[in-house]
Amino acid sequence: MGGLIIILSTLIPVLLLARLENVYILLLLVTLVWMGFIGWVDDYIKIFKKNKEGLQGKFKIIGQV
């Protein structure tokens, strides 16, 4: 839940105030959403699949690279 707050507190001001034609802003948005998705998948596996380990480390690293 804390990750969701951090993502939204970054995403909303960027979408409202930044120039979206800037390639670095687009890179920020894509990276932010992608890393948030990886975190969500990890939390989903931990909570709903009842697996304490969560997403395997190799898949986290591959996703982050």
Side-chain angles (χ1 to χ4, degrees), residues 10-60:
T10 304
L11 194 61
I12 292 170
V14 168
L15 289 174
L16 291 175
L17 303 172
R19 295 178 188 222
L20 297 179
E21 65 271 3
N22 188 335
V23 69
Y24 297 113
I25 298 297
L26 294 175
L27 184 62
L28 166 86
L29 292 174
V30 169
T31 304
L32 181 71
V33 170
W34 180 252
M35 294 297 175
F37 177 72
I38 292 173
W40 176 82
V41 169
D42 185 45
D43 290 343
Y44 179 82
I45 291 171
K46 287 179 185 176
I47 294 170
F48 293 108
K49 301 293 184 179
K50 307 287 190 221
N51 183 354
K52 286 192 237 179
E53 301 296 321
L55 191 62
Q56 290 182 9
K58 62 183 174 184
F59 294 122
K60 285 182 193 176

